[in-house]
């Protein structure tokens, strides 16, 4: 393969709607950190290790994203030129050049890291692909939060079996890893053959952060493909970004939906527990209060999941719209044709995911109302029982107050005339006799008041 190149397109989320213009995600700088580490560990002969010094978001080696606020273009360098990071030597006697383009696409950091032989006439075979150290550009090393794409370009003879060659290239890119590239689609782009592979982590096959899309473009007709790629570069980059965002949002949708279902299952169990409590006459008000204290937080979590789904719905619609614009532009440059895979992704997968999100929202929205009704019901019962308990306590206090008050009055009278009371049932000691008579009077008054209140309630 001549005019060979390997390009890494990685996309990393910088901020979300919850952040102000000068705020970013906690791990927003991770992409630049990992690229700089690669410069130290794998490409020490190049200036990749000094990448941060070339970015406007770094000052004296410190990440300061506030420097990006108000920039007029997408470039994260002071000039709009490629960053020439130098070259490194191979054991086969030729050098490999590295250049990089760091960009900010709205809320996303994007990087284009390209490796190519020092001369386009150098013929690269499959075994020599390892000179480019492709394992350094896999998801486990880059950790781009929105995912990544490896783009391979090469010019081959017309009699070359491109299908077989693409398989060998895909396997060579992930050699020595647990990734297994699977061919998903093939077609044509800019008069060259395009082969698309997907390499997913077997432990987390649906996680876009650990997925690697491989695009292999083989020019076997001496077509002017490189010029077409240059003309459509910006649209290609944005299309890949939108593609990764759509995959990422769809993954987030599945997470939010699963969390909402878990909370809804919890709600169903608490409703059953509530029904058991109110059917038991021995249920204490403290049991209901405990149940009431647990529900509001879960209700908030459920509402948050539903809100996230609605935000994801808006996000996926926006990215689908942008994806369609990019695809139309690429198709126009490509003589009104384009890879069927990209069109099918738009017409089939995106359409299905949009409908699925709306279905999730429709199913989960009634649960939000159920949470509110459940809380109101428990609170109403607790308040009712608390009021009855307070009234019962108030009545008891009144009865005891009147009883003790009446006993105190009677005690004062008895104490004054105790010497005139002559009863064989009372002790001869005046104090003891006064105490006994006061207790009897208090009990009598208490019983009398209780009877009056009981008769009044009955009537």
């Amino acid at each position: 393969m001549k005019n060979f190149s390997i390009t890494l397109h990685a996309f990393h989320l910088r901020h979300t709607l919850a952040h102000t213009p000068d705020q970013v995600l906690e791990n927003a700088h991770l992409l630049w950190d990992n690229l700089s580490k690669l410069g130290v560990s794998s490409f020490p002969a190049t200036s990749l290790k000094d990448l941060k010094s070339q970015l406007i978001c770094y000052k004296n080696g410190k990440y300061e994203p506030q420097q990006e606020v108000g920039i007029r273009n997408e470039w994260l360098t002071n000039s709009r030129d490629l960053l020439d990071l130098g070259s490194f030597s191979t054991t086969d006697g030729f050098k490999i050049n590295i250049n990089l383009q760091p960009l900010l696409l709205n809320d996303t950091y994007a990087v284009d890291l390209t490796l190519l032989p020092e001369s386009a006439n150098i013929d690269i075979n499959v075994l020599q692909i390892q000179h480019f150290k492709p394992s350094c550009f896999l998801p486990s090393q880059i950790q781009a939060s929105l995912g990544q794409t490896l783009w391979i370009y090469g010019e081959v003879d017309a009699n070359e079996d491109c299908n077989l060659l693409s398989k060998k290239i895909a396997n060579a890119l992930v050699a020595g890893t647990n990734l297994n590239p699977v061919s998903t689609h093939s077609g044509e782009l800019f008069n060259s053959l395009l082969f698309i592979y997907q390499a997913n982590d077997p432990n987390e096959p649906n996680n876009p952060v650990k997925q690697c899309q491989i695009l292999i473009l083989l020019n076997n007709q001496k077509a002017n493909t490189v010029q077409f790629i240059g003309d459509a570069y910006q649209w290609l980059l944005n299309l890949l970004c939108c593609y990764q965002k759509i995959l990422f949002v769809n993954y987030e949708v599945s997470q939010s939906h699963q969390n909402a279902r878990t909370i809804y299952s919890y709600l169903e169990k608490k409703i059953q527990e509530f029904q058991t409590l109110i059917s038991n006459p021995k249920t204490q008000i403290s049991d209901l209060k405990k149940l009431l204290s647990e529900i509001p937080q879960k209700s908030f979590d459920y509402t948050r999941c539903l809100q996230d789904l609605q935000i994801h719905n808006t996000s996926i619609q926006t990215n689908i719209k942008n994806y369609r614009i990019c695809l139309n532009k690429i198709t126009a440059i490509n003589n009104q044709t384009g890879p069927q895979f990209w069109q099918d992704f738009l017409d089939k997968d995106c359409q299905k995911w949009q409908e699925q999100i709306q279905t999730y929202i429709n199913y989960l929205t009634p649960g939000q109302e159920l949470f509110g009704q459940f809380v109101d019901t428990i609170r109403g019962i607790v308040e009712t029982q608390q009021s009855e308990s307070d009234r019962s306590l108030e009545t008891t206090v009144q009865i005891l107050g009147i009883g003790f008050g009446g006993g105190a009055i009677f005690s004062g009278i008895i104490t004054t005339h105790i010497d005139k009371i002559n009863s064989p049932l009372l002790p001869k000691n005046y104090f003891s006799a006064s105490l006994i008579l006061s207790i009897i009077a208090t009990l009598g008054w208490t019983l009398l008041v209780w009877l009056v209140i009981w008769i009044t309630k009955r009537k």
Side-chain angles (χ1 to χ4, degrees), residues 261-270 294-295 298:
R261 289 195 61 180
T262 300
I263 299 172
Y264 191 85
S265 177
Y266 165 88
L267 174 62
E268 290 288 347
K269 292 178 181 179
K270 288 302 177 180
E294 297 172 355
I295 300 301
K298 289 293 182 180

Side-chain angles (χ1 to χ4, degrees), residues 116-390:
L116 65 165
E118 58 184 338
S119 171
N121 293 322
I122 295 177
D123 198 358
I124 303 296
N125 59 43
V126 173
L127 292 177
Q128 290 175 322
I129 289 178
Q130 297 308 317
H131 289 320
F132 294 79
K133 303 180 182 181
S135 60
C136 295
F137 308 117
L138 295 177
S140 59
Q141 298 292 326
I142 304 301
Q143 297 180 326
S145 63
L146 295 179
Q148 64 176 66
T149 296
L150 280 179
W151 184 294
I152 313 300
Y153 177 77
E155 297 173 356
V156 299
D157 294 334
N159 59 355
E160 181 76 43
D161 186 346
C162 293
N163 186 42
L164 178 60
L165 179 60
S166 70
K167 292 180 180 180
K168 292 180 178 180
I169 293 174
N171 288 324
L173 293 174
V174 299
T177 71
N178 64 342
L179 300 180
N180 181 30
V182 176
S183 176
T184 57
H185 295 85
S186 61
E188 291 189 5
L189 178 65
F190 304 135
N191 301 321
S192 292
L193 299 178
L194 176 65
F195 301 90
I196 301 177
Y197 288 81
Q198 190 70 28
N200 297 345
D201 189 317
N203 298 320
E204 297 183 67
N206 297 321
N207 189 345
V209 178
K210 299 188 176 183
Q211 295 176 358
C212 183
Q213 180 184 221
I214 301 173
L215 303 181
I216 301 174
L217 192 62
L218 299 178
N219 185 348
N220 64 345
Q221 299 294 330
K222 296 183 179 181
N224 199 12
T225 303
V226 173
Q227 181 178 340
F228 280 123
I229 292 176
D231 295 340
Y233 175 78
Q234 198 65 29
W235 301 113
L236 286 168
L237 183 65
N238 278 277
L239 180 133
L240 293 176
C241 182
C242 292
Y243 173 80
Q244 294 296 159
K245 279 188 173 183
I246 293 170
L247 292 182
F248 174 77
V249 171
N250 187 58
Y251 179 73
E252 292 285 288
V253 166
S254 65
Q255 298 297 305
S256 297
H257 177 245
Q258 184 59 45
N259 292 338
R261 289 195 61 180
T262 300
I263 299 172
Y264 191 85
S265 177
Y266 165 88
L267 174 62
E268 290 288 347
K269 292 178 181 179
K270 288 302 177 180
I271 289 176
Q272 295 177 3
E273 180 182 337
F274 170 71
Q275 291 173 338
T276 301
L277 286 174
I278 62 175
S279 63
N280 186 356
K282 295 183 180 181
T283 297
Q284 300 293 321
I285 193 172
S286 59
D287 296 329
L288 291 173
K289 286 184 175 180
K290 180 182 177 182
L291 183 61
L292 183 62
S293 66
E294 297 172 355
I295 300 301
Q297 181 60 49
K298 289 293 182 180
S299 177
F300 175 80
D301 294 339
Y302 187 87
T303 301
R304 189 64 179 270
C305 289
L306 185 57
Q307 182 185 24
D308 288 343
L309 284 174
Q310 292 167 338
I311 293 175
H312 295 330
N313 190 29
T314 302
S315 178
I316 203 168
Q317 288 178 5
T318 301
N319 283 289
I320 287 173
K321 179 181 177 181
N322 293 335
Y323 180 97
R324 180 179 288 106
I325 293 172
C326 294
L327 183 56
N328 289 339
K329 294 292 185 179
I330 294 169
T331 302
I333 295 173
N334 193 40
N335 298 320
Q336 300 304 320
T337 61
Q340 189 60 41
F341 163 72
W342 288 347
Q343 189 64 49
D344 288 344
F345 175 77
L346 184 64
D347 297 337
K348 297 178 181 179
D349 294 337
C350 292
Q351 181 67 26
K352 179 183 68 176
W353 292 338
Q354 274 188 292
E355 294 174 355
Q356 188 64 70
I357 295 175
Q358 193 57 55
T359 300
Y360 288 158
I361 293 173
N362 293 341
Y363 270 112
L364 294 174
T365 298
Q368 187 179 24
E369 299 174 1
L370 182 59
F371 260 114
Q373 293 173 358
F374 188 36
V375 170
D376 291 342
T377 300
I378 299 176
R379 184 177 289 118
I381 294 175
V382 169
E383 290 176 352
T384 300
Q385 291 190 358
Q386 186 67 57
S387 298
E388 292 177 353
S389 176
D390 293 343

